[in-house]
Amino acid sequence: MAAEIVVVGSANLDLVVEVDRVPAVGETVMGGDLRRIPGGKGANQAVAAARLGRDVAMVGRLGADEGGEILRAALNADGVDTTQMITTEDVPNGVALISVGSDGDNAIVVSPGANARVTPTDIEAAADMLRNAAVTLLQLEIPLDAVTAAAHAAHGIVILNPAPAPAEPLPEGLLARVDILVPNQTELATLTGHDGPITAEIATTLATTLPSQAVVVTLGADGALVVDRGAVTHVSAPSVTPVDTTAAGDSFCGALADALVRGESLIDAARWAIRVGAATTLRPGAQPSLPTPTEVEQLLA
Ligand code: RIB
């Protein structure tokens, strides 16, 4: 059966340590025991959508090592089709070094490993999958030429989560090929060259300068702004006390895709995504924190 959602992106083994507070530059802090947890923005988004009930396939690369085996097994356990996840000889799997503070905030360093080897040729090999998917979900933890190739190969709705914020300008035409751009405030500032704090008002103005059809700006605890053909809607977030925000943005994107496949409007999809994202912050770890629909209601009750 064709996948409803195809995620083109990264899969990392997250090496996670809990700390009282995330260390400042040059500082050493003591933390808890090391945990190894399946993560990576692409894999998290794929698993998020799969747990919400969607048929999902993922396109990308895994290392020929234990990390790659753990990631493939984790994706398969959630029913994600990994036939287009290429195991790359002599390359380590992507790894993310994550410290999580007691307030749920985190700092992350990613060593991309196999993720950095994804090529436009890999995307061509997945062309049928991309042609048949209702939604294609993209992020920026794999090379930009592969992301751009995927955006052009997709026939359904293209969602780009421009995370992490790009260090170089995006290729010409990529944003125009994106139907729904989902940046957080930092990513929006980077994409628009804005300096200084971003209020909701500034975010709205900046979002309208981007060539994507619609922009959904995530605002953390303040919810999200949906900017669609000149109309702006603020969606508020449920009040929660987060224990770990690592995968909140990823579950937001997976849930947005899930709701759009089910035919919901963009605003209703953002309302659902905000709830799923908030529920995700209430459990630790990236993929272990991603909820089913029943768990969303239980966690937010
Ligand atoms: O978005 C969260 C993810 O970012 C983590 O799982 C980590 O792997 C990094 O890629």
Side-chain angles (χ1 to χ4, degrees):
M1 196 203 314
E4 297 167 306
I5 297 171
V6 174
V7 179
V8 181
S10 60
N12 295 329
L13 185 63
D14 290 354
L15 304 182
V16 183
V17 178
E18 283 176 20
V19 289
D20 281 343
R21 62 188 170 74
V22 174
V25 175
E27 188 184 18
T28 301
V29 297
M30 302 299 283
D33 289 344
L34 178 74
R35 286 178 301 143
R36 300 192 311 163
I37 298 174
K41 294 184 193 304
N44 294 347
Q45 295 184 15
V47 169
R51 289 213 183 135
L52 295 171
R54 303 279 59 81
D55 287 320
V56 182
M58 187 165 170
V59 179
R61 282 185 178 251
L62 296 166
D65 57 10
E66 194 196 2
E69 283 167 21
I70 291 172
L71 264 297
R72 190 183 295 279
L75 287 162
N76 289 340
D78 275 293
V80 176
D81 176 346
T82 57
T83 51
Q84 295 295 332
M85 292 294 283
I86 302 166
T87 297
T88 311
E89 294 306 322
D90 301 323
V91 176
N93 202 74
V95 169
L97 309 174
I98 305 183
S99 22
V100 181
S102 53
D103 58 359
D105 268 343
N106 58 61
I108 304 181
V109 175
V110 174
S111 166
N115 298 307
R117 273 70 169 185
V118 181
T119 67
T121 309
D122 300 349
I123 307 303
E124 261 174 59
D128 283 350
M129 221 177 226
L130 287 160
R131 207 176 8 256
N132 292 321
V135 174
T136 294
L137 256 177
L138 308 169
Q139 323 74 33
L140 299 180
E141 275 188 339
I142 60 169
L144 278 172
D145 57 356
V147 175
T148 306
H152 287 287
H155 283 201
I157 298 169
V158 176
I159 302 177
L160 172 63
N161 172 217
E168 52 185 298
L170 294 182
E172 186 84 8
L174 172 58
L175 289 183
R177 180 63 197 92
V178 168
D179 297 294
I180 306 168
L181 185 72
V182 188
N184 64 18
Q185 288 150 292
T186 311
E187 291 147 7
L188 180 64
T190 304
L191 290 177
T192 55
H194 178 81
D195 217 1
I198 292 208
T199 60
E201 211 168 42
I202 292 175
T204 303
T205 310
L206 294 177
T208 52
T209 66
L210 294 167
S212 304
Q213 292 260 322
V215 182
V216 179
V217 186
T218 56
L219 307 169
D222 292 330
L225 283 175
V226 180
V227 183
D228 189 5
R229 284 162 289 201
V232 183
T233 309
H234 178 248
V235 177
S236 54
S239 171
V240 292
T241 305
V243 299
D244 185 351
T245 60
T246 302
D250 297 330
S251 70
F252 182 97
C253 293
L256 196 73
D258 158 51
L260 292 170
V261 168
R262 290 187 285 102
E264 293 197 11
S265 70
L266 181 56
I267 291 170
D268 284 343
R271 288 198 178 106
W272 171 235
I274 279 286
R275 287 181 67 73
V276 177
T280 300
T281 69
L282 297 175
R283 297 190 297 195
Q287 287 171 33
S289 69
L290 300 168
T292 63
T294 308
E295 288 170 339
V296 172
E297 301 315 323
Q298 286 167 349
L299 287 160
L300 296 180

